[in-house]
Amino acid sequence: MLHQIRVALLTLGSATKGELCEKVGISFPTITKLIDQMEKSGEVTNLGFDESSGGRPAQRYLYNPDYMLGLAIFLERNETVFTVFNCLGEVKKQGTYKSVLGENLSLLKGLITDILNAFPSICSIAFGVPGAVENGKIFYIPDYSGFHDVDLQAVIEEEFSLSVVVENDMNAAVLGYHHRNDMEKRQSSVYILAGNNGPGAGLFVNGDVVRGKSFFTGEVSFTPIGGDQTFYEALQGEKREQEEAISRLVAMMTVMINPHTIIFNKEEMEQSMLERINMLAASFVPKEHLPDLKTSDWKEDYLHGLKFLAVERMLRQ
């Protein structure tokens, strides 16, 4: 019930108890009890009475977006990026730290401890990792043995008594792209990254991220491109080979899920290269069926996706 009230207040901007009853379908006595509790704890603010329209004026309430804070952390080969934010997504602090992937969990725990000491209102954490994740456990993360087969969600929840979600980096990025751009849920898209940790992809179909039978969706490194060459191996070649490989992957995605959009990291893809890939892909698939090829700020999309996941956890506290 608290989750419904929080979402309603944030959606409406402010509301009376009567408006909340109508919005969430909860009885007036229950709404009154919960709003009174939230007001005492500082979670909502009483804005006073509305102007009377003839009857007894109603009191209006505003949600305090800073009552609970969230923390997003993504782990990369060269750095660890973190953001502290409130339930409206407003950033309170953002920074970078040295990479923890080559270390053990103690370095990551130390970073979290420092952030929590500075922001004790944090109640949820979303992690992004360059590997395959199933229900909070990292089961495939090449080159980082210290995090392989680690149930990061369970470890951090037990250590800090906070709500934790762990997500693959590309899943978070494609989720963030959709929410940053207010795309309709029925639209589908694929986010492709070459990346420092090898290529990956995130798929968004029918309003949700596709994770697959064994949560291995998006590990496009293994995609056979031609002969006995994989997509990862093709990306190690000359620029022409890279363009050919990416165009084949675009064609594969087109015939498999026919997405509206395929997104690339703007740091990795020049417009001229995008145009050549589109032209090459049209030699495999009729042009009218190809998706729009676009570039975006991968880091911002990634962080936005993690923030979205953390806020969801936060509002369900």
Side-chain angles (χ1 to χ4, degrees):
M1 289 184 186
L2 279 173
H3 172 253
Q4 293 171 277
I5 293 172
R6 287 165 177 154
V7 171
L9 281 169
L10 290 169
T11 302
L12 296 170
S14 67
T16 65
K17 292 175 183 177
E19 289 169 346
L20 288 172
C21 288
E22 184 177 345
K23 181 73 174 177
V24 302
I26 300 174
S27 69
F28 191 85
T30 302
I31 288 286
T32 297
K33 178 182 177 181
L34 293 174
I35 286 293
D36 288 348
Q37 291 174 355
M38 294 169 79
E39 185 180 359
K40 287 178 183 177
S41 68
E43 189 169 0
V44 299
T45 301
N46 188 329
L47 296 177
F49 290 98
D50 279 358
E51 289 187 17
S52 176
S53 57
R56 183 180 178 182
Q59 289 181 309
R60 181 163 294 276
Y61 296 89
L62 177 72
Y63 193 79
N64 175 10
D66 293 334
Y67 178 73
M68 295 184 289
L69 300 180
L71 172 61
I73 301 178
F74 74 66
L75 315 182
E76 277 292 300
R77 179 186 297 273
N78 299 321
E79 62 182 358
T80 302
V81 179
F82 70 89
T83 303
V84 180
F85 48 90
N86 65 17
C87 65
L88 293 178
E90 297 168 340
V91 174
K92 300 299 176 180
K93 184 174 182 179
Q94 187 165 329
T96 59
Y97 189 72
K98 63 182 180 180
S99 177
V100 301
L101 281 177
E103 306 291 335
N104 54 36
L105 280 171
S106 61
L107 191 62
L108 177 59
K109 289 178 181 178
L111 171 62
I112 296 169
T113 298
D114 290 342
I115 296 172
L116 291 179
N117 286 338
F119 297 93
S121 297
I122 290 173
C123 60
S124 67
I125 305 177
F127 290 99
V129 297
V133 179
E134 179 177 3
N135 299 323
K137 181 178 180 179
I138 306 168
F139 66 88
Y140 177 75
I141 185 165
D143 303 326
Y144 305 118
S145 58
F147 285 81
H148 182 68
D149 277 339
V150 171
D151 190 335
L152 189 59
Q153 178 178 337
V155 168
I156 300 302
E157 284 185 341
E158 181 178 352
E159 179 85 12
F160 297 100
S161 299
L162 297 172
S163 180
V164 173
V165 60
V166 184
E167 184 58 279
N168 166 267
D169 54 358
M170 296 311 301
N171 288 347
V174 75
L175 181 67
Y177 179 85
H178 265 257
H179 286 279
R180 279 186 75 203
N181 293 280
D182 294 322
M183 295 178 70
E184 294 183 23
K185 287 188 175 182
R186 65 180 179 82
Q187 288 200 359
S188 58
S189 61
V190 178
Y191 212 129
I192 298 174
L193 182 79
N196 294 320
N197 298 290
L203 282 67
F204 190 95
V205 179
N206 295 330
D208 203 359
V209 173
V210 178
R211 293 178 174 82
K213 169 191 169 184
S214 60
F215 295 82
F216 205 63
T217 298
E219 296 297 336
V220 294
S221 290
F222 300 98
T223 305
I225 292 298
D228 58 357
Q229 192 176 47
T230 65
F231 185 64
Y232 173 79
E233 291 167 340
L235 289 186
Q236 310 311 305
E238 299 296 325
K239 191 173 183 179
R240 176 68 185 185
E241 293 177 77
Q242 295 173 15
E243 293 172 352
E244 175 83 12
I246 296 170
S247 70
R248 287 177 180 270
L249 188 62
V250 167
M252 289 179 196
M253 293 295 179
T254 300
V255 298
M256 293 297 290
I257 64 171
N258 198 198
H260 295 80
T261 311
I262 291 184
I263 311 112
F264 298 90
N265 180 8
K266 68 178 185 180
E267 299 297 326
E268 296 178 345
M269 186 70 65
E270 297 176 354
Q271 185 60 35
S272 58
M273 187 175 181
L274 205 63
E275 291 169 0
R276 286 194 295 272
I277 289 168
N278 191 57
M279 181 183 66
L280 288 168
S283 67
F284 301 113
V285 177
K287 188 174 182 180
E288 63 268 24
H289 301 299
L290 289 173
D292 293 332
L293 303 186
K294 298 182 178 180
T295 60
S296 186
D297 188 322
W298 176 76
K299 184 179 285 189
E300 285 300 313
D301 292 331
Y302 189 179
L303 282 172
H304 195 89
L306 292 178
K307 284 163 65 176
F308 176 82
L309 293 170
V311 168
E312 275 196 327
R313 292 292 182 113
M314 189 191 311
L315 295 179
R316 294 184 183 277
Q317 293 295 313

